[in-house]
Amino acid sequence: MPKIKIALLIALLFSVCILALFLGPRGINPLDLSDIDRTIVFSIRLPRVLISLLMGMALGASGAVLQGILRNPLADPYILGISSGASLFAAFGIIMGFSFIGTFTIPALAFTGAILTGVIVGIIGRKKGGIWPERLLLAGVGLSFLFSALLMLMLSLSSDEGLRRSVLWIFGDLSLSEWSRIPYGSVFILAGLLLAMTRAKALNALILGDELAHSLGFSPHTERLVLFVSVGLMTAASVSLGGMIGFIGLLVPHIIRFFMGADSKVLIPAAALGGGVLLCVADLISRSVLPPMELPAGIVTAIIGSPYFLYLLRRKNVLSI
Amino acid sequence: MEKGEDEVNQGAILSPRREDFFLEGERELTMTVFGSQRNFSTVLNSFCCILAPRLPGSNSQGCRRFIQLRTVTENFLICLKTAFFFFSLFTLYSLFLTNASADNAPERIISLAPSTTEILFALGLGEKIVGVTSFCDYPVEAREKAKIGGMSNPSLEAVLSLQPDIVVMTTDGNPKEFEARLRSLNIRTYVFTARRIRELPVAIRDMGRVLGAEEPSRMLSAEIEKAISRLGNNRPSDSRKKKVLFIVWPEPLIVAGPGTAIDDALDLLGVENIAGNAKTAYPKYSIEEVLYQSPDVIFIGKGMQANMREVSRGLLHKLGLVPAVKNGSVFFVSDSLYRLGPRIIKGIEELETCLK
């Protein structure tokens, strides 16, 4: 049964991709491509669709993993401060006008910020030879407050132009998608996803509690560390590809749980697919509703996703994760 | 247009009126203080004289103590009187001072926007500027003036501590509340309301009148008017207008939309701004739409900035099919048109040279 559902999700993902390629501010007839149409489809829309899929997958999957290892339904990939660190570094780069490696500067800075924050949170969360969920969570929250405050400070001191571009970046901006970003993004995200999927059994055990996990033959601290690294990789890569996208990491895993249950072996790939579908649709909407302008995709995901989530919450009899 | 002029006039008339009111109020207050001073001292004096012998326990010791007491009271009163005298002198003096400066042009000016700073310098008022925002970087002298904070968040304390005779603000970027705040603290303000190129000459002339630089303001606005009318006459008459896009920042793509000085300049030059139908002044624009609209000319602002060519490379690569890129009609221009000020003419001429 889960296999059929996953197959359905994959089919949905493909159809959404096709739609996103040929719909938009102006529809394109795939059978009759002019030169401009071809440029739009292959060098503008295709990389954008792929990046939205990668980001959505990373966020959905890392949300599912994180809610498991922290045993907290409110956890999302941004709660660990990874996104605040990335935003801080990216905004710093934007405001100071850095461009030492061309268009890669800002993504590289964001990735550095994200990884650095992840390492700091990991170090603070570590005590007595292991990573403790509560410590991890609190360290992440504390650090993310600090980074947000620094970010606000920087934004309030910056010029209007730098401010606008930083805010656009922080809201999630997929218009910068280029083919050149896909290789490194996909390497980190797919590596993190594979790592998480191979440790899905351990995650199931961790959700039951450390003692049970131990008696089932898993070392809770090692497993948590491995899963934490996979989350860090996916989130850092996703934030550096296109900024912060809200909603997906927190609520897509819950939506998937409503339909497919909480078995991590199914949940992780399904949440990844669901996140990809949602972000792809949201991006399609964000660039189509107000042409010739574009809206930040992060806002659209929350606007279309949250009501659906609340509706599901009302309909389904779910009391806990 | 009409509305803009109205607002300008209102601002100009309101400030002296409010000042008159303020002066009157202060005069009245001083009178009251004088009156009450006389009453107060008389009452206290008579109180001491009348009550002295009748106080209880008026034996010799008490008398002596009371005499001592009276001397102290009198001393105190003398001090009080002197203090009042000097205070009232000071009040009158400051009253005359404010009166004098209200009649003449303001001597200490604070400018709360880069555009008004540029206009003030162009009107030869640079010497009188005592404070500017941290974004005022043109002309070079502006950088050396005291900073009072940003455009949207100027520091009230910094403004007050510079003791300005007038604070020049714009409706485009300064918060309205700040103006109200300054007014409530009895600081004269002048609000510059022009937002479009065509409104600029009238606004400059008005500002010059209020700030006591009528002659230079007339000259500057005549110069701008001349440039506008020259362009109006030379407007290309052929039916096919050139399509133009002015890029403010390439990644993410932010362009100059409707209501900006850049849009006005393009209109004056007789070309079509393809982002003219966007909904905001500086929209984040869709790259696909640029491809469809296929502009004949692309301008990239702040092109003198070191990394602008580097940053735009990716975008221009994506726009390879657009006529502007194919024919090499991509121009890196200065930021002269970003501020509605005296550099506008230079900015328009720059675009004109590129379009020829």
Side-chain angles (χ1 to χ4, degrees), chain A residues 25-26 28 35-37 39-40 44-45 97 99 103 159 161 164-165 173 175 177-178 287 292-294, chain B residues 135 153 249 251-252 254 277 279-280 282-289 291-292 302 307 310 318 321:
Chain A
R26 297 185 188 202
I28 287 178
D35 274 356
I36 286 184
D37 289 344
T39 318
I40 288 177
I44 295 174
R45 288 191 187 169
S99 68
T103 50
S159 72
E161 188 195 309
R164 172 105 197 277
R165 282 193 288 127
D173 185 4
S175 71
S177 308
E178 275 172 21
R287 60 192 155 96
M293 300 202 301
E294 292 192 350
Chain B
F135 304 126
N153 56 345
W249 192 264
E251 284 195 339
I254 297 176
N277 60 346
K279 272 135 201 122
T280 56
Y282 291 99
K284 184 181 157 203
Y285 210 74
S286 152
I287 299 176
E288 294 177 17
E289 201 60 24
L291 277 165
Y292 279 123
K302 283 198 179 171
N307 59 1
E310 181 76 20
K318 280 186 197 165
L321 278 177

Side-chain angles (χ1 to χ4, degrees), chain B residues 220-256:
Chain B
L220 181 60
S221 51
E223 205 180 321
I224 297 171
E225 268 163 356
K226 210 176 86 189
I228 293 176
S229 65
R230 181 181 65 83
L231 288 169
N233 296 335
N234 288 2
R235 235 175 145 130
S237 53
D238 58 312
S239 53
R240 194 190 163 276
K241 277 183 169 182
K242 268 187 185 171
K243 287 194 282 185
V244 177
L245 182 70
F246 195 109
I247 295 174
V248 175
W249 192 264
E251 284 195 339
L253 181 61
I254 297 176
V255 302

Side-chain angles (χ1 to χ4, degrees), chain B residues 10-137:
Chain B
Q10 213 174 28
I13 294 165
L14 262 182
S15 351
R17 256 192 209 157
R18 197 175 54 253
E19 197 142 309
D20 288 346
F21 173 72
F22 164 58
L23 292 180
E24 247 171 45
E26 200 166 347
R27 209 171 287 141
E28 208 172 78
L29 186 79
T30 330
M31 293 309 285
T32 330
V33 170
F34 272 126
S36 69
Q37 184 217 8
R38 195 174 298 132
N39 290 343
F40 178 64
S41 55
T42 329
V43 168
L44 214 64
N45 265 337
S46 48
F47 179 79
C48 296
C49 297
I50 297 163
L51 282 189
R54 290 169 205 180
L55 280 170
S58 58
N59 51 20
S60 60
Q61 228 183 353
C63 256
R64 207 175 302 134
R65 209 192 303 143
F66 189 67
I67 287 161
Q68 263 179 349
L69 190 77
R70 209 161 72 176
T71 342
V72 171
T73 323
E74 265 177 8
N75 278 342
F76 173 68
L77 274 176
I78 287 164
C79 287
L80 210 66
K81 274 182 185 171
T82 329
F84 263 120
F85 178 69
F86 278 111
F87 173 70
S88 37
L89 258 190
F90 174 73
T91 324
L92 278 176
Y93 176 66
S94 56
L95 214 70
F96 277 119
L97 266 191
T98 35
N99 224 353
S101 67
D103 291 334
N104 293 332
E107 289 300 316
R108 296 176 67 79
I109 304 173
I110 289 183
S111 165
L112 289 190
S115 57
T116 52
T117 306
E118 287 189 24
I119 298 176
L120 289 171
F121 271 101
L123 295 181
L125 295 169
E127 293 290 309
K128 295 184 177 179
I129 299 179
V130 292
V132 294
T133 68
S134 43
F135 304 126
C136 297
D137 52 2

